């Protein structure tokens, strides 16, 4: 699909969401979230939730690993209108970058200005332990791909978007202001699906990465280009390959996510409250 077809596809999805949500809900939406491992339970804290399965939104890709369960859940947290993408698609499933960012682009076109992207990650920095949380202050896109490749579509941002501050300092401050144990760091986004080799982790450490994962960077690139303010939050589910002698297992990554879930949900709830009380441009 060309970029022009991409815009039409997204605007069809926008029209369907406007119809399903109604003007009052759409007008109240302030925050878009992508829920990674460990934060799926967040939808349970939404007040007046309305759930729309991905399959009912035209053009939205279905996550292959999760099969069922991928849905958009819209509701409020302390009066703040929030749209949660519970389930995301990854490049390693065979999707293209445009597919990976279609849902967040749709939410941006729907009028949402602020986004919180969450993920599970392997810890690289010396002081990291499983269960730690990292606020993204920057990223390394090491996927070799970008959602902005192709003919230029002005609705998706400038041809050569500035990326000096992909992760909004204001939203980082709001996350840190919750008082939760959070450390700022750099997230390296890789293609996957194999975990890294110890040599790759040594390379990433040298390059300045504090944590590594297989998502988030393309969503952040697409949203930053569209003028949204973006925050990123990583749950460190394991030490990266070679740092601990144990081999990495997906089940352990999932289990660590579940374990840290409650604290993470409380933190994000507090962030929503602070975001609701703040005004764009202030903390
Ligand atoms: N590497 C890449 N992606 C991950 C990891 C990891 O160690 N842990 C969770 N997602």
């Amino acid at each position: 699909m060309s970029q022009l077809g991409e815009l039409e596809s997204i605007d069809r999805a926008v029209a369907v969401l406007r119809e399903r949500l109604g003007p009052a809900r759409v007008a109240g939406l302030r925050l878009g979230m992508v829920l990674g491992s460990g934060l799926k339970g967040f939808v349970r804290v939404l007040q007046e939730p309305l759930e729309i399965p991905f399959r009912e939104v035209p053009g939205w890709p279905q996550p292959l690993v999760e099969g069922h369960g991928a849905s958009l859940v819209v509701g409020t947290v302390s009066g703040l209108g929030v749209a949660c993408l519970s389930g995301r698609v990854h490049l390693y499933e065979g999707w293209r970058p445009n597919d990976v960012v279609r849902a967040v682009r749709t939410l941006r076109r729907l009028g949402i200005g602020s986004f919180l992207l969450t993920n599970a990650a392997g810890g690289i920095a010396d002081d990291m332990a499983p269960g730690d949380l990292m606020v993204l202050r920057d990223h390394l896109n090491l996927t070799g791909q970008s959602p902005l490749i192709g003919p230029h579509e002005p609705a998706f941002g400038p041809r050569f978007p500035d990326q000096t501050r992909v992760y909004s300092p204001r939203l980082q401050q709001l996350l840190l202001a919750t008082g939760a144990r959070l450390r700022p760091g750099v997230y390296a986004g890789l293609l996957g699906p194999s975990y890294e080799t110890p040599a790759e982790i040594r390379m990433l450490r040298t390059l300045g990465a504090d944590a590594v994962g297989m998502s988030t960077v393309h969503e952040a690139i697409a949203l930053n280009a569209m003028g949204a303010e973006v925050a990123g939050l990583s749950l460190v589910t394991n030490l990266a390959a070679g740092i601990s002698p144990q081999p990495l297992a997906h089940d352990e990554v999932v289990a660590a996510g579940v374990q840290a879930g409650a604290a993470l949900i409380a933190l994000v709830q507090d962030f929503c409250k602070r975001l609701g009380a703040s005004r764009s441009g202030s903390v």
Side-chain angles (χ1 to χ4, degrees):
M1 204 186 293
S2 74
Q3 291 279 41
L4 287 176
E6 193 58 36
L7 179 60
E8 285 155 13
S9 160
I10 284 167
D11 283 348
R12 258 202 309 277
V14 169
V16 166
L17 292 183
R18 280 194 190 287
E19 173 81 31
R20 293 281 298 269
L21 299 172
R25 265 187 197 269
V26 170
L29 286 176
R30 292 274 310 280
L31 178 69
M33 284 184 55
V34 181
L35 306 179
S37 313
L39 212 60
K40 292 279 158 60
F42 183 72
V43 296
R44 286 198 292 277
V45 309
L46 292 177
Q47 282 130 24
E48 299 172 64
L50 193 150
E51 181 168 0
I52 303 176
F54 277 22
R55 69 179 127 69
E56 293 175 16
V57 186
W60 278 21
Q62 299 288 311
L64 306 179
V65 278
E66 283 145 282
H68 57 276
S71 56
L72 167 71
V73 187
V74 173
T76 60
V77 180
S78 305
L80 184 87
V82 181
C84 296
L85 297 167
S86 180
R88 58 149 64 93
V89 297
H90 301 84
L91 288 173
Y92 62 70
E93 295 166 72
W95 298 102
R96 300 157 312 159
N98 264 333
D99 302 320
V100 167
V101 303
R102 193 167 299 124
V104 291
R105 274 182 173 153
T106 303
L107 295 183
R108 176 69 183 131
R109 297 277 294 167
L110 199 58
I112 299 179
S114 306
F115 288 82
L116 176 59
L117 309 175
T118 68
N119 59 52
I124 296 177
D126 280 337
D127 54 353
M128 275 185 172
D132 283 359
L133 294 171
M134 183 179 90
V135 179
L136 274 62
R137 60 179 175 81
D138 209 343
H139 74 218
L140 298 164
N141 173 17
L142 299 176
T143 64
Q145 300 193 44
S146 164
L148 303 176
I149 288 171
H152 180 222
E153 169 50 66
F156 296 153
R159 173 76 290 192
F160 303 108
D162 175 62
Q163 292 206 123
T164 310
R165 289 193 191 89
V166 171
Y167 298 92
S168 150
R170 183 180 94 91
L171 295 185
Q172 288 181 58
Q173 281 304 314
L174 285 176
L175 281 165
L176 294 170
T178 62
R181 223 171 64 84
L182 288 172
R183 58 110 72 206
V186 173
Y187 173 91
L190 273 67
L191 208 48
S194 45
Y195 290 117
E196 302 70 33
T197 64
E200 285 165 346
I201 294 301
R202 286 195 296 277
M203 173 190 75
L204 292 174
R205 185 198 291 266
T206 305
L207 294 178
D210 297 300
V212 57
M214 305 173 194
S215 67
T216 306
V217 292
H218 290 153
E219 294 151 3
I221 290 168
L223 288 169
N224 173 70
M226 292 175 86
E229 36 170 27
V230 178
L233 196 57
S234 291
L235 167 63
V236 176
T237 51
N238 56 282
L239 295 180
I243 294 181
S244 107
Q246 256 128 345
L248 303 190
H250 178 64
D251 289 353
E252 280 164 36
V253 170
V254 172
V258 171
Q259 212 166 22
L264 193 48
I265 288 167
L267 156 69
V268 174
Q269 251 180 314
D270 192 15
F271 169 74
C272 288
K273 207 178 291 177
R274 287 168 192 277
L275 182 64
S278 76
R279 284 203 319 222
S280 184
S282 65
V283 172

